[in-house]
Amino acid sequence: MEGMIKRYALTESYEISRVIKGGWQLSDGHSDEISSDPVADMFAFVERGINTFDCADIYTGVEAMIGEFVAANNARSEPLPIRVHTKYVPDYDQLGKLKKTDVEAIIDRSLQRLKLERLDMVQFHWWNYAVPGAVETAAWLGELQQAGKIELLSLTNFNTARSWEILDAGVTLTTTQVQYSLLDPRPEKALLALCAEHNMHLLCYGTLAGGFLSDRWLGQPEPSSFANRSLIKYKLMIDEIGGWDLFQTLLEALDRIGRKHDVSVASVASNWVLEQAQVAAVIIGSRNADHVDRYKEVFALEMDEEDRSAIQTIKAQMQIPADDVFDLERDKNGPHGSIMKYNLNAE
């Protein structure tokens, strides 16, 4: 399997690729650099071994785009095995007002858009913990799962304490999707221990920090303007951990490791996350299939203890935010939260 995209079994009957193709970068308004033939790109990813796709009900246009791919795949004489993970993200302004019928309507809409009879995975998000209803809504999703509309139920961007509340209510969770990278080790504080106790797995986004953890930024001056919200978001994390100079020190270490093993900085950063306990997969944000073959490099790399020690030495210098997973982003008035869009689910 050296140099191949590896698989991970979330359950005895549910397997995913350890690299997942993300969908946020394909949403309307995010970027002008989207492929002219996204369905062909999705086939290219599957043919290279990346058969799992991540999207959300609030990624404008993406569920329908993936639905076209699902329909085209089903029309083949021998459909390729694929998995599609979506999310249920009720609008901020609707929190506290939801009924089960509202939840079911969004799930039904995702089924229609994705052209699926059952959603492979639904990842649930709740914007504001001060508004009650998250546990009740998770229980409703569990009922829809029992009704056959959802195969696996999961969370996204829940901190540890609120994840415990969902679990304590008797809801079975398979994964939690969170930001996890060398620039954001917040899951290590408590969430990883919860996942180990409940046999949950992490699906990690932001592994490359929007592209900052790559050769492109090595030796570059600190930027003052950004092409998209993704870069703004991850530059804020660089500021949190200690600033541009420390970030450059990290890139230099990753570059030395990469040159030692003849791989890229991005591959070293992704490989490090995949080595961590309870991590099932990393989510990559490619807008097209131009560089799909490079992801095999992640699995060809075998870091040694010298490599890991070099990374750990720099991690020890980082200023880890005091808050748990996604708590910084949950503050609408703070720098991390102010760039979020909170009401994207309405038709």
Side-chain angles (χ1 to χ4, degrees):
M1 290 291 290
E2 182 177 346
M4 302 294 289
I5 303 298
K6 293 184 179 179
R7 300 280 187 263
Y8 196 99
L10 296 178
T11 71
E12 290 184 359
S13 60
Y14 195 103
E15 190 177 74
I16 61 172
S17 52
R18 295 204 74 192
V19 173
I20 295 173
K21 187 185 185 306
W24 184 39
Q25 284 80 1
L26 299 177
S27 58
D28 290 352
H30 182 81
S31 173
D32 295 328
E33 302 174 18
I34 296 173
S35 166
S36 60
D37 194 345
V39 171
D41 277 348
M42 291 179 208
F43 276 113
F45 274 87
V46 178
E47 288 160 0
R48 303 311 200 284
I50 299 174
N51 74 334
T52 308
F53 298 82
D54 180 80
C55 62
D57 49 6
I58 62 169
Y59 297 172
T60 309
V62 178
E63 282 188 326
M65 188 185 300
I66 293 177
E68 293 179 25
F69 164 62
V70 170
N73 186 49
N74 288 340
R76 293 168 65 117
S77 57
E78 295 185 13
L80 299 169
I82 61 172
R83 292 293 189 183
V84 179
H85 300 169
T86 192
K87 302 179 186 74
Y88 172 56
V89 185
D91 283 348
Y92 191 100
D93 292 345
Q94 290 300 308
L95 303 185
K97 306 172 187 176
L98 293 170
K99 302 183 291 292
K100 182 182 176 182
T101 52
D102 299 321
V103 178
E104 187 166 17
I106 298 298
I107 295 302
D108 286 344
R109 187 181 69 183
S110 291
L111 284 165
Q112 179 186 26
R113 286 173 170 175
L114 290 167
K115 296 180 170 55
L116 294 169
E117 295 182 0
R118 179 174 63 177
L119 298 175
D120 290 335
M121 178 186 288
V122 171
Q123 302 160 103
F124 170 46
H125 176 63
W126 193 263
W127 286 112
N128 185 1
Y129 294 148
V131 179
V135 174
E136 184 178 31
T137 303
W140 288 335
L141 288 168
E143 292 173 11
L144 295 172
Q145 182 184 30
Q146 292 298 315
K149 295 191 176 188
I150 301 168
E151 183 166 354
L152 299 181
L153 186 57
S154 299
L155 300 178
T156 182
N157 289 330
F158 270 76
N159 69 18
T160 308
R162 300 298 176 161
S163 299
W164 273 115
E165 289 183 1
I166 304 290
L167 290 163
D168 286 344
V171 178
T172 299
L173 301 170
T174 304
T175 68
T176 183
Q177 184 181 141
V178 293
Q179 184 171 299
Y180 191 17
S181 75
L182 282 166
L183 294 176
D184 185 7
R186 286 178 290 176
E188 296 170 7
K189 292 183 171 186
L191 189 63
L192 292 181
L194 175 148
C195 289
E197 183 169 343
H198 286 272
N199 193 31
M200 290 172 60
H201 312 275
L202 266 67
L203 305 179
C204 305
Y205 69 88
T207 304
L208 300 181
F212 276 117
L213 287 169
S214 68
D215 303 85
R216 174 185 176 186
W217 290 97
L218 180 64
Q220 295 300 307
E222 185 170 5
S224 57
S225 61
F226 306 94
N228 54 54
R229 282 193 301 135
S230 181
L231 289 175
I232 297 171
K233 169 184 173 64
Y234 293 111
K235 175 56 168 60
L236 287 169
M237 288 310 303
I238 292 173
D239 297 340
E240 290 284 348
I241 60 97
W244 195 254
D245 288 344
L246 183 57
F247 167 62
Q248 285 296 317
T249 300
L250 173 63
L251 281 186
E252 290 164 4
L254 299 181
D255 179 58
R256 285 192 294 271
I257 295 168
R259 285 188 281 109
K260 172 181 171 181
H261 296 280
D262 195 26
V263 299
S264 67
V265 165
S267 293
V268 178
S270 296
N271 182 282
W272 182 89
V273 173
L274 286 168
E275 279 194 341
Q276 305 312 303
Q278 303 303 127
V279 171
V282 296
I283 300 166
I284 53 96
S286 294
R287 298 182 182 92
N288 54 56
D290 289 351
H291 306 290
V292 64
D293 287 321
R294 72 185 181 191
Y295 297 109
K296 293 185 293 185
E297 202 179 78
V298 175
F299 301 98
L301 169 61
E302 294 186 9
M303 282 196 286
D304 56 34
E305 287 309 309
E306 180 184 40
D307 302 330
R308 297 184 186 96
S309 177
I311 292 172
Q312 184 57 38
T313 296
I314 299 167
K315 272 192 73 193
Q317 302 173 45
M318 294 180 179
Q319 302 169 26
I320 311 304
D323 301 298
D324 200 354
V325 171
F326 205 73
D327 286 347
L328 285 171
E329 294 85 344
R330 206 172 294 280
D331 178 6
K332 288 184 74 173
N333 298 314
H336 296 267
S338 64
I339 64 171
M340 299 285 177
K341 294 185 178 181
Y342 295 88
N343 294 291
L344 293 173
N345 219 321
E347 292 264 30

